[in-house]
Amino acid sequence: MSDATKLEVPPRRKGLTRSQKRRLSRGVQYVVFVAALVAFALSADWGRLKNQFAQADIAEQMFPDVITLALKNTVLYTLSGFLVGLALGMVIALMRLSSVGPYRWLAGIYIEIFRGLPALLIFIFIGVAVPLAFPGTEIVGGTYGKVALALGLVAAAYMAETIRAGIQAVPKGQMEAARSLGFSPARAMVSIIVPQAFRIILPPLTNELVLLFKDSSLVLFLGVTLEERELSKYGRDLASTTANSTPILVAGLCYLLVTIPLGFVVRRMEAKAQEAVK
């Protein structure tokens, strides 16, 4: 076939490459996101929001009590509940791993019950059911003791599973090496396995601390005095007194003052853990 009779094939039109399509898609998403933000900003009544949530004179009245009283109580409630939950969670985790059947069954029942119940019901149980069941019995520490117990019971169910997973993540060779050196099983667990497990589970335990910090707002169901109020109760009381929601906003900012740094710490620990694995 001569060159004159050959059909001329038109050159193929080049379309967008994959990377160009991805950039185009990303650009469209950014445009849509910015447009949605602008539409939201233009449609909101910022004047009414400022009058209800951003009154500077009301916010000034909250200081320094919002820090020295409300935030301090919130931190104390959280830390006490975390320590109780950690201690109880460790015991339950070891029971869960025990070779004794009844220990495993009791630990499993506890975890299923307290993971399934809302924290609110646990607070009501501690504040109402316990005094009815044991008349004249006072929980050590008053309100602080009740909050520590309620938060600890809730946290222990989650911490127990986290600790159990951490212990099981430690290579079995660690226990075998400890036993070969003459360690008893209990001593090997306490001295060798548990410290390694805690390095693994530190980020999720810190997440649990953040959750407890927010759950401490349920203390109002125990009935607290003015000096025992935490951030949420303090903000709600002032909001009712002033007929304005500024105290609630300030209380929320105080929560973020603690939770955001904790979240940053968690991300840093997770990043270090991933680097260690690599």
Side-chain angles (χ1 to χ4, degrees):
M1 184 180 294
S2 64
D3 293 341
T5 58
K6 287 183 179 178
L7 295 177
E8 293 186 0
V9 179
R12 180 180 297 179
R13 295 180 60 186
K14 292 185 178 180
L16 296 176
T17 63
R18 287 187 177 181
S19 61
Q20 290 174 331
K21 290 179 180 179
R22 284 196 297 267
R23 288 196 293 269
L24 179 61
S25 175
R26 194 178 301 116
V28 171
Q29 293 177 42
Y30 285 148
V31 171
V32 171
F33 178 72
V34 172
L37 285 180
V38 171
F40 172 77
L42 294 177
S43 61
D45 191 338
W46 296 105
R48 294 182 64 182
L49 286 174
K50 180 181 178 182
N51 291 334
Q52 186 64 26
F53 288 96
Q55 291 294 323
D57 55 337
I58 296 177
E60 289 176 2
Q61 296 174 13
M62 300 178 65
F63 291 90
D65 287 348
V66 69
I67 301 296
T68 59
L69 176 67
L71 182 58
K72 181 198 73 173
N73 283 337
T74 301
V75 171
L76 289 177
Y77 292 149
T78 302
L79 291 179
S80 59
F82 182 82
L83 292 176
V84 171
L86 185 61
L88 184 57
M90 173 62 72
V91 173
I92 295 171
L94 294 177
M95 291 174 62
R96 189 88 158 129
L97 295 171
S98 173
S99 59
V100 181
Y103 287 167
R104 294 198 306 273
W105 304 332
L106 287 174
I109 291 171
Y110 177 92
I111 290 171
E112 293 302 324
I113 289 176
F114 283 91
R115 278 199 313 186
L117 289 175
L120 171 60
L121 296 184
I122 306 301
F123 273 81
I124 294 175
F125 175 80
I126 296 297
V128 178
V130 171
L132 289 176
F134 305 98
T137 301
E138 288 290 335
I139 296 177
V140 178
T143 301
Y144 292 95
K146 292 178 182 178
V147 176
L149 180 58
L151 287 177
L153 289 174
V154 175
Y158 295 94
M159 289 186 183
E161 288 293 86
T162 301
I163 294 171
R164 178 186 63 81
I167 291 175
Q168 290 179 327
V170 176
K172 293 182 179 180
Q174 295 292 317
M175 175 62 78
E176 296 171 355
R179 296 287 289 141
S180 67
L181 293 175
F183 284 72
S184 66
R187 186 183 174 192
M189 179 64 70
V190 173
S191 302
I192 306 297
I193 305 301
V194 171
Q196 294 186 59
F198 266 83
R199 283 196 290 270
I200 298 172
I201 65 176
L202 200 54
L205 285 183
T206 309
N207 277 327
E208 185 62 33
L209 181 63
V210 173
L211 295 176
L212 286 181
F213 188 74
K214 295 185 292 183
D215 284 343
S216 64
S217 62
L218 297 173
V219 68
L220 64 94
F221 291 98
L222 296 177
V224 295
T225 65
L226 294 177
E227 297 300 319
E228 295 171 340
R229 291 178 297 176
E230 42 69 51
L231 281 171
S232 292
K233 176 66 173 171
Y234 183 82
R236 289 180 61 182
D237 287 349
L238 283 184
S240 299
T241 303
T242 60
N244 191 274
S245 299
T246 299
I248 295 178
L249 176 63
V250 174
L253 293 176
C254 289
Y255 276 105
L256 295 178
L257 189 65
V258 175
T259 57
I260 289 178
L262 281 177
F264 175 77
V265 170
V266 171
R267 289 191 294 273
R268 289 294 301 168
M269 288 190 296
E270 290 176 344
K272 287 185 178 180
Q274 291 178 354
E275 291 176 1
V277 172
K278 293 178 181 179

